Amino acid sequence: MYINNYLFNKAVLVLFFTMVSFVVSAKEYNVLDYGATADGVKLNTEIIQRAIDDATEGGGIVVFPAGKYLTGTLYLKSNVSIRLEKGAVLLGSTDLIHYPENLPDYSFFRKDVIKRALIYAENVENISIKGEGTIDGQGSAFEEPKDKNISSYSVRPYVIWMIKCKNIKIEGIRLQNSALWMQHYLACEKLYIHNIEVYNHSNKNNDMMDIDGCKDVIISDCRGDTDDDGITLKSTHAQPNENITITNCILSSHCNAIKCGTESNAGFKNITISNCVIRPSRDREVIYGKPDGISGISLEVVDGAELNGVNISNIVMDGPIVPIFIRLGNRARGYDKALPKPGVGSIENVHISNVTAYNAGDYGSSISGIPGYPVKNISMENVRIFYSGGGTPADADKSVDEKEKSYPEATMFGKLPAYGMFIRHAENVRFSNVEFYLAADDRRSPFFLEDVKHGQFRDLKADINQNTSYMKANNVSDIFLANPVSYTKSKAAIEIQGSQSSTIRLSDVNKKQFGEIWIASDEVSRDEILTSNIFE
């Protein structure tokens, strides 16, 4: 045992000193030595690019000391690290002429439209952008084109755009004021984003970061405040997002703080999201969305993708109107017009746990598929949501349009007939220890189920109006409701409709909390409703 430990420790020391030797030997290329001017006025593009080109030959670090460096597009090369020292600001030029068009050798949606970036990398590896400095895109300078035939996407550069790159590190820096998405990582592998801060309220489409069909990604300890979406996983090409971890982040968004979608051509697989705080943006002026955000968590598939294996845990959110939105639709927009139109995708195996949401709005959360294409295997446990309330009897009786082909947004259905959770076209849904609370009276039920098969709902707690049923269910089968707790005596534990409703089981129901254990419309067979352990 002693010999094994000795050999192990010796091996660790050898590895450590090898790494130290590598770090020490990495050559530095100071942009001031190349003649850069750090006054924020003189354009330094060619000077900085020469330093990058020299650094790629043997691998090295391009160093920016304190100061402001104005530049156009920079092309990051393999084995090059950019280090922004404290007080260093890399300023994007406000003149579009300094951002040449790039035509990536890869097919993706809007390939012929999006062509510009401040920092561009394609088919390179072992690259990083680190330090304590700032990259400022000065994005408010880029306005809508006067010619309506020109897409605004074509005249607004990203701050960072990387395509088919490997071994990427973005660490420590501050990113601000992009003209478009702040960061777009397209078909990249081994991407590590750590301890960065993003502020993006300069223009339309001001996302924090967009991870687009990437593999083996770690995002940790980041802070973002954006007008558009926060951390966004999307799929605008043939490769899915897979093996992704997002943890320990603090996010503010006028739109969706954490999102899979909207673009969803290939899919989302093996994703964990944990230990995140979602809070209101400090910027109350809105370009898109709402001051406190549209949604906290959105999982969307509308363009044929498969979403499978998503685990979300330990989330606290304050302010988004809709805390949780899961949507399978059929917009069916392909990324390449030469390819066949995509079919309907799928959402399955999603687990959400230990979520607390304060100051939610009056729309309600939702889980929804479309007829013939249910979402499957969705579970939630230890979830507490505090809603504003205020729903009327008309809201409670509302018929919700399918909107199969519509753009997916957490508010797309308007106020839902459930103030807490609306579930439609779903199979194998499991809720445990889920609690909903109201700031004001609401005539809607906490839960509304439609076309749901194989649902288990245990240990639920909810505020409820005395004239409202705890759960409404329409054309459901194999539903088990156990130990529902109502803080006010309400109309019924469950109200059942639909000729296809069958196998409804209720257990551990306190009669003192409900006027009736169940209520069923005439088309529902009473033989399909089973009760056990009803007590006072």
Side-chain angles (χ1 to χ4, degrees):
M1 179 65 70
Y2 172 78
I3 294 175
N4 289 340
N5 286 338
Y6 170 78
L7 293 175
F8 173 78
N9 292 334
K10 184 176 181 180
V12 170
L13 286 172
V14 170
L15 178 61
F16 172 77
F17 285 113
T18 300
M19 294 174 63
V20 169
S21 175
F22 173 78
V23 172
V24 171
S25 64
K27 187 175 179 181
E28 293 189 355
Y29 298 80
N30 191 315
V31 295
L32 294 179
D33 294 338
Y34 282 76
T37 302
D39 62 358
V41 177
K42 182 180 177 181
L43 192 69
N44 294 284
T45 311
E46 293 183 2
I47 293 171
I48 298 170
Q49 191 62 54
R50 283 203 305 271
I52 292 172
D53 293 344
D54 287 350
T56 194
E57 293 182 6
I61 304 169
V62 177
V63 180
F64 291 79
K68 294 183 177 181
Y69 303 87
L70 185 68
T71 182
T73 297
L74 299 172
Y75 294 90
L76 196 53
K77 306 293 183 68
S78 290
N79 305 313
V80 174
S81 176
I82 289 177
R83 189 176 78 213
L84 296 165
E85 296 186 344
K86 188 174 182 178
V89 180
L90 191 64
L91 282 175
S93 169
T94 58
D95 192 336
L96 192 64
I97 198 172
H98 296 143
Y99 299 88
E101 292 187 348
N102 299 283
L103 297 174
D105 186 23
Y106 189 71
S107 181
F108 62 97
F109 184 65
R110 293 197 183 100
K111 177 180 179 180
D112 297 328
V113 177
I114 298 176
K115 303 175 182 179
R116 307 176 196 269
L118 178 59
I119 298 177
Y120 182 87
E122 183 179 0
N123 285 313
V124 300
E125 60 184 17
N126 304 325
I127 55 178
S128 65
I129 305 173
K130 301 180 179 181
E132 299 180 72
T134 298
I135 303 178
D136 188 335
Q138 302 198 94
S140 61
F142 298 88
E143 299 178 350
E144 286 282 324
K146 294 180 181 180
D147 186 344
K148 298 302 180 183
N149 294 317
I150 299 176
S151 169
S152 68
Y153 283 93
S154 67
V155 296
R156 292 183 290 142
Y158 296 128
V159 165
I160 297 174
W161 191 15
M162 297 186 177
I163 303 166
K164 291 189 72 66
C165 297
K166 295 181 180 179
N167 298 324
I168 306 162
K169 287 187 178 181
I170 311 295
E171 192 169 8
I173 60 173
R174 176 181 170 89
L175 300 169
Q176 62 189 35
N177 304 327
S178 179
L180 195 58
W181 303 343
M182 182 63 74
Q183 311 163 76
H184 184 197
Y185 302 95
L186 176 65
C188 294
E189 294 185 25
K190 297 182 180 178
L191 169 62
Y192 178 66
I193 302 175
H194 174 69
N195 189 33
I196 70 168
E197 185 164 350
V198 177
Y199 182 81
N200 211 16
H201 290 271
S202 295
N203 215 314
K204 299 190 302 181
N205 312 107
N206 266 189
D207 292 2
M208 175 184 174
M209 66 177 71
D210 291 81
I211 312 300
D212 187 351
C214 294
K215 182 179 180 180
D216 300 338
V217 179
I218 298 174
I219 301 166
S220 65
D221 303 284
C222 296
R223 300 159 305 284
D225 191 329
T226 58
D227 182 76
D228 213 317
D229 298 331
I231 297 178
T232 305
L233 310 182
K234 59 181 56 187
S235 177
T236 70
H237 54 104
Q239 294 183 202
N241 285 292
E242 56 183 325
N243 309 333
I244 296 176
T245 292
I246 301 168
T247 190
N248 299 342
C249 294
I250 300 174
L251 306 171
S252 302
S253 167
H254 289 163
C255 292
N256 309 287
I258 299 171
K259 178 178 176 180
C260 289
T262 299
E263 292 88 346
S264 45
N265 289 119
F268 313 91
K269 301 177 182 178
N270 307 331
I271 296 166
T272 66
I273 302 167
S274 63
N275 302 331
C276 292
V277 171
I278 298 167
R279 63 183 181 185
S281 170
R282 74 170 188 258
D283 195 320
R284 310 311 289 170
E285 293 186 12
V286 173
I287 300 173
Y288 289 147
K290 303 291 183 181
D292 292 330
I294 295 175
S295 81
I297 299 166
S298 283
L299 307 179
E300 306 166 355
V301 170
V302 294
D303 299 321
E306 296 180 4
L307 185 151
N308 191 339
V310 177
N311 193 317
I312 301 172
S313 62
N314 299 330
I315 309 294
V316 175
M317 61 181 82
D318 178 6
I321 294 173
V322 178
I324 299 170
F325 176 69
I326 300 176
R327 172 62 173 169
L328 174 63
N330 189 27
R331 179 176 65 175
R333 187 177 74 184
Y335 67 89
D336 189 330
K337 293 181 180 179
L339 297 175
K341 189 176 182 179
V344 180
S346 62
I347 295 178
E348 56 187 77
N349 301 320
V350 175
H351 182 66
I352 299 175
S353 63
N354 301 323
V355 173
T356 300
Y358 297 97
N359 298 316
D362 58 1
Y363 282 76
S365 295
S366 63
I367 300 169
S368 64
I370 57 178
Y373 298 92
V375 297
K376 299 179 180 180
N377 306 331
I378 311 296
S379 63
M380 293 190 190
E381 63 177 332
N382 302 328
V383 173
R384 300 170 71 232
I385 302 177
F386 296 78
Y387 289 100
S388 64
T392 65
D395 296 327
D397 294 335
K398 175 182 175 180
S399 177
V400 180
D401 294 338
E402 293 287 350
K403 296 189 175 183
E404 291 184 29
K405 298 185 180 300
S406 297
Y407 181 91
E409 191 74 273
T411 56
M412 65 185 294
F413 300 117
K415 288 185 181 180
L416 292 162
Y419 81 78
M421 186 64 68
F422 174 81
I423 308 173
R424 180 166 67 178
H425 308 311
E427 292 184 5
N428 299 323
V429 178
R430 298 176 301 280
F431 277 48
S432 176
N433 193 26
V434 173
E435 305 175 21
F436 297 147
Y437 299 93
L438 289 167
D441 186 53
D442 200 302
R443 292 298 300 272
R444 297 172 294 175
S445 296
F447 297 89
F448 190 106
L449 279 56
E450 184 173 4
D451 184 25
V452 176
K453 299 177 181 178
H454 316 304
Q456 294 186 17
F457 300 86
R458 299 173 180 269
D459 302 320
L460 310 179
K461 297 181 177 68
D463 285 335
I464 187 169
N465 180 279
Q466 62 182 358
N467 297 311
T468 302
S469 295
Y470 200 86
M471 177 180 287
K472 287 188 176 180
N474 183 26
N475 287 324
V476 298
S477 63
D478 188 20
I479 302 298
F480 180 53
L481 175 61
N483 191 31
V485 175
S486 174
Y487 292 114
T488 304
K489 185 173 183 178
S490 56
K491 184 177 177 182
I494 188 168
E495 189 171 336
I496 311 163
Q497 296 180 335
S499 59
Q500 299 178 45
S501 290
S502 63
T503 318
I504 314 297
R505 295 173 293 151
L506 296 94
S507 178
D508 303 310
V509 180
N510 187 343
K511 292 175 62 176
K512 291 182 178 180
Q513 297 180 6
F514 304 100
E516 302 287 346
I517 301 302
W518 54 265
I519 297 173
S521 59
D522 292 341
E523 70 266 30
V524 178
S525 170
R526 273 54 182 166
D527 294 335
E528 296 292 339
I529 305 171
L530 308 173
T531 62
S532 63
N533 195 26
I534 307 302
F535 64 93
E536 294 189 26

Short mmCIF file of all heavy atoms in Angstrom, two decimals, residues 70-98:
data_model
loop_
_atom_site.label_atom_id
_atom_site.label_comp_id
_atom_site.label_asym_id
_atom_site.label_seq_id
_atom_site.Cartn_x
_atom_site.Cartn_y
_atom_site.Cartn_z
N LEU A 70 -9.36 49.55 -29.68
CA LEU A 70 -10.42 49.52 -30.70
C LEU A 70 -10.01 48.57 -31.82
O LEU A 70 -8.89 48.61 -32.32
CB LEU A 70 -10.62 50.93 -31.26
CG LEU A 70 -11.78 51.10 -32.25
CD1 LEU A 70 -13.12 50.92 -31.55
CD2 LEU A 70 -11.72 52.46 -32.94
N THR A 71 -10.96 47.72 -32.23
CA THR A 71 -10.63 46.74 -33.26
C THR A 71 -11.87 46.32 -34.03
O THR A 71 -13.00 46.44 -33.55
CB THR A 71 -9.96 45.50 -32.64
OG1 THR A 71 -9.61 44.59 -33.68
CG2 THR A 71 -10.90 44.80 -31.67
N GLY A 72 -11.61 45.81 -35.25
CA GLY A 72 -12.63 45.12 -36.00
C GLY A 72 -12.47 43.63 -35.79
O GLY A 72 -11.93 43.18 -34.77
N THR A 73 -12.90 42.83 -36.76
CA THR A 73 -12.88 41.37 -36.62
C THR A 73 -11.47 40.85 -36.40
O THR A 73 -10.54 41.17 -37.14
CB THR A 73 -13.48 40.71 -37.86
OG1 THR A 73 -14.85 41.11 -37.98
CG2 THR A 73 -13.40 39.20 -37.77
N LEU A 74 -11.34 39.99 -35.39
CA LEU A 74 -10.10 39.28 -35.10
C LEU A 74 -10.34 37.79 -35.33
O LEU A 74 -11.37 37.24 -34.91
CB LEU A 74 -9.65 39.51 -33.66
CG LEU A 74 -9.36 40.96 -33.28
CD1 LEU A 74 -9.12 41.07 -31.78
CD2 LEU A 74 -8.18 41.51 -34.06
N TYR A 75 -9.36 37.12 -35.96
CA TYR A 75 -9.47 35.70 -36.27
C TYR A 75 -8.58 34.92 -35.31
O TYR A 75 -7.36 34.96 -35.40
CB TYR A 75 -9.09 35.44 -37.73
CG TYR A 75 -10.06 36.08 -38.69
CD1 TYR A 75 -9.86 37.39 -39.14
CD2 TYR A 75 -11.19 35.39 -39.12
CE1 TYR A 75 -10.77 37.98 -40.01
CE2 TYR A 75 -12.11 35.98 -39.99
CZ TYR A 75 -11.89 37.28 -40.43
OH TYR A 75 -12.79 37.87 -41.27
N LEU A 76 -9.23 34.20 -34.40
CA LEU A 76 -8.48 33.43 -33.40
C LEU A 76 -7.98 32.14 -34.03
O LEU A 76 -8.71 31.46 -34.75
CB LEU A 76 -9.40 33.13 -32.21
CG LEU A 76 -8.75 32.67 -30.90
CD1 LEU A 76 -7.67 33.64 -30.45
CD2 LEU A 76 -9.83 32.55 -29.82
N LYS A 77 -6.72 31.80 -33.76
CA LYS A 77 -6.07 30.64 -34.38
C LYS A 77 -5.78 29.56 -33.32
O LYS A 77 -5.81 29.81 -32.12
CB LYS A 77 -4.76 31.08 -35.03
CG LYS A 77 -4.90 32.23 -36.03
CD LYS A 77 -5.67 31.84 -37.27
CE LYS A 77 -5.74 32.98 -38.28
NZ LYS A 77 -4.42 33.30 -38.88
N SER A 78 -5.46 28.38 -33.80
CA SER A 78 -5.18 27.26 -32.90
C SER A 78 -4.01 27.57 -31.98
O SER A 78 -3.05 28.24 -32.36
CB SER A 78 -4.87 26.00 -33.72
OG SER A 78 -6.01 25.51 -34.37
N ASN A 79 -4.14 27.03 -30.75
CA ASN A 79 -3.09 27.13 -29.73
C ASN A 79 -2.80 28.55 -29.29
O ASN A 79 -1.70 28.87 -28.84
CB ASN A 79 -1.79 26.48 -30.24
CG ASN A 79 -2.00 25.05 -30.69
OD1 ASN A 79 -2.64 24.26 -29.99
ND2 ASN A 79 -1.51 24.72 -31.88
N VAL A 80 -3.80 29.42 -29.40
CA VAL A 80 -3.64 30.82 -29.00
C VAL A 80 -4.60 31.14 -27.85
O VAL A 80 -5.78 30.79 -27.90
CB VAL A 80 -3.90 31.79 -30.17
CG1 VAL A 80 -3.87 33.24 -29.68
CG2 VAL A 80 -2.86 31.58 -31.26
N SER A 81 -4.07 31.79 -26.85
CA SER A 81 -4.88 32.28 -25.73
C SER A 81 -4.85 33.81 -25.75
O SER A 81 -3.79 34.41 -25.90
CB SER A 81 -4.33 31.77 -24.40
OG SER A 81 -5.04 32.32 -23.32
N ILE A 82 -6.00 34.42 -25.60
CA ILE A 82 -6.08 35.87 -25.43
C ILE A 82 -6.25 36.14 -23.94
O ILE A 82 -7.14 35.57 -23.29
CB ILE A 82 -7.26 36.47 -26.22
CG1 ILE A 82 -6.96 36.42 -27.72
CG2 ILE A 82 -7.55 37.89 -25.78
CD1 ILE A 82 -8.08 36.94 -28.59
N ARG A 83 -5.38 37.00 -23.39
CA ARG A 83 -5.48 37.36 -21.98
C ARG A 83 -5.69 38.86 -21.84
O ARG A 83 -4.85 39.66 -22.25
CB ARG A 83 -4.23 36.94 -21.21
CG ARG A 83 -4.40 37.11 -19.68
CD ARG A 83 -3.19 36.59 -18.94
NE ARG A 83 -2.08 37.54 -18.98
CZ ARG A 83 -0.80 37.20 -19.00
NH1 ARG A 83 -0.46 35.91 -19.04
NH2 ARG A 83 0.14 38.11 -19.02
N LEU A 84 -6.82 39.21 -21.27
CA LEU A 84 -7.16 40.61 -21.01
C LEU A 84 -6.85 40.91 -19.55
O LEU A 84 -7.54 40.43 -18.65
CB LEU A 84 -8.64 40.86 -21.31
CG LEU A 84 -9.07 40.68 -22.78
CD1 LEU A 84 -10.57 40.60 -22.87
CD2 LEU A 84 -8.53 41.79 -23.64
N GLU A 85 -5.84 41.70 -19.31
CA GLU A 85 -5.47 42.01 -17.94
C GLU A 85 -6.45 43.02 -17.34
O GLU A 85 -7.23 43.66 -18.05
CB GLU A 85 -4.03 42.53 -17.90
CG GLU A 85 -3.02 41.47 -18.34
CD GLU A 85 -1.59 41.90 -18.16
OE1 GLU A 85 -1.33 43.12 -18.00
OE2 GLU A 85 -0.70 41.01 -18.19
N LYS A 86 -6.41 43.15 -16.04
CA LYS A 86 -7.33 44.05 -15.34
C LYS A 86 -7.20 45.46 -15.90
O LYS A 86 -6.11 45.99 -16.04
CB LYS A 86 -7.03 44.06 -13.84
CG LYS A 86 -8.05 44.81 -13.02
CD LYS A 86 -7.77 44.64 -11.53
CE LYS A 86 -8.83 45.35 -10.70
NZ LYS A 86 -8.60 45.17 -9.25
N GLY A 87 -8.34 46.03 -16.26
CA GLY A 87 -8.35 47.37 -16.85
C GLY A 87 -8.27 47.38 -18.36
O GLY A 87 -8.40 48.44 -18.98
N ALA A 88 -8.08 46.22 -18.96
CA ALA A 88 -8.04 46.13 -20.43
C ALA A 88 -9.46 46.01 -20.98
O ALA A 88 -10.27 45.24 -20.48
CB ALA A 88 -7.20 44.94 -20.86
N VAL A 89 -9.74 46.79 -22.03
CA VAL A 89 -11.04 46.74 -22.69
C VAL A 89 -10.81 46.58 -24.19
O VAL A 89 -10.16 47.42 -24.82
CB VAL A 89 -11.87 48.01 -22.43
CG1 VAL A 89 -13.22 47.92 -23.13
CG2 VAL A 89 -12.05 48.24 -20.94
N LEU A 90 -11.33 45.50 -24.75
CA LEU A 90 -11.30 45.29 -26.19
C LEU A 90 -12.60 45.85 -26.74
O LEU A 90 -13.68 45.32 -26.48
CB LEU A 90 -11.16 43.80 -26.50
CG LEU A 90 -10.85 43.42 -27.94
CD1 LEU A 90 -9.47 43.95 -28.35
CD2 LEU A 90 -10.90 41.91 -28.12
N LEU A 91 -12.50 46.95 -27.50
CA LEU A 91 -13.67 47.66 -27.99
C LEU A 91 -13.95 47.27 -29.44
O LEU A 91 -13.06 47.39 -30.30
CB LEU A 91 -13.45 49.18 -27.93
CG LEU A 91 -13.59 49.89 -26.60
CD1 LEU A 91 -13.21 51.36 -26.75
CD2 LEU A 91 -15.02 49.78 -26.09
N GLY A 92 -15.17 46.84 -29.71
CA GLY A 92 -15.55 46.58 -31.08
C GLY A 92 -15.79 47.88 -31.83
O GLY A 92 -16.39 48.82 -31.31
N SER A 93 -15.30 47.94 -33.04
CA SER A 93 -15.53 49.12 -33.87
C SER A 93 -17.03 49.32 -34.09
O SER A 93 -17.80 48.35 -34.14
CB SER A 93 -14.83 48.95 -35.22
OG SER A 93 -15.22 49.95 -36.12
N THR A 94 -17.43 50.56 -34.26
CA THR A 94 -18.85 50.87 -34.54
C THR A 94 -19.10 51.01 -36.04
O THR A 94 -20.21 51.38 -36.44
CB THR A 94 -19.27 52.15 -33.82
OG1 THR A 94 -18.42 53.23 -34.22
CG2 THR A 94 -19.18 51.98 -32.31
N ASP A 95 -18.09 50.74 -36.86
CA ASP A 95 -18.21 50.84 -38.31
C ASP A 95 -18.29 49.45 -38.90
O ASP A 95 -17.36 48.64 -38.76
CB ASP A 95 -16.99 51.59 -38.87
CG ASP A 95 -17.19 51.99 -40.33
OD1 ASP A 95 -18.00 51.34 -41.02
OD2 ASP A 95 -16.52 52.94 -40.77
N LEU A 96 -19.39 49.14 -39.58
CA LEU A 96 -19.61 47.80 -40.12
C LEU A 96 -18.53 47.38 -41.12
O LEU A 96 -18.26 46.18 -41.29
CB LEU A 96 -20.99 47.73 -40.78
CG LEU A 96 -21.50 46.32 -41.15
CD1 LEU A 96 -21.72 45.49 -39.91
CD2 LEU A 96 -22.78 46.41 -41.98
N ILE A 97 -17.88 48.33 -41.73
CA ILE A 97 -16.85 48.02 -42.72
C ILE A 97 -15.67 47.27 -42.09
O ILE A 97 -14.91 46.58 -42.77
CB ILE A 97 -16.36 49.31 -43.43
CG1 ILE A 97 -15.65 48.95 -44.74
CG2 ILE A 97 -15.47 50.13 -42.51
CD1 ILE A 97 -15.31 50.15 -45.60
N HIS A 98 -15.52 47.39 -40.78
CA HIS A 98 -14.43 46.72 -40.08
C HIS A 98 -14.76 45.28 -39.69
O HIS A 98 -13.97 44.63 -39.00
CB HIS A 98 -14.05 47.53 -38.83
CG HIS A 98 -13.53 48.89 -39.15
ND1 HIS A 98 -13.80 50.01 -38.38
CD2 HIS A 98 -12.76 49.33 -40.18
CE1 HIS A 98 -13.22 51.06 -38.90
NE2 HIS A 98 -12.59 50.67 -40.00
#
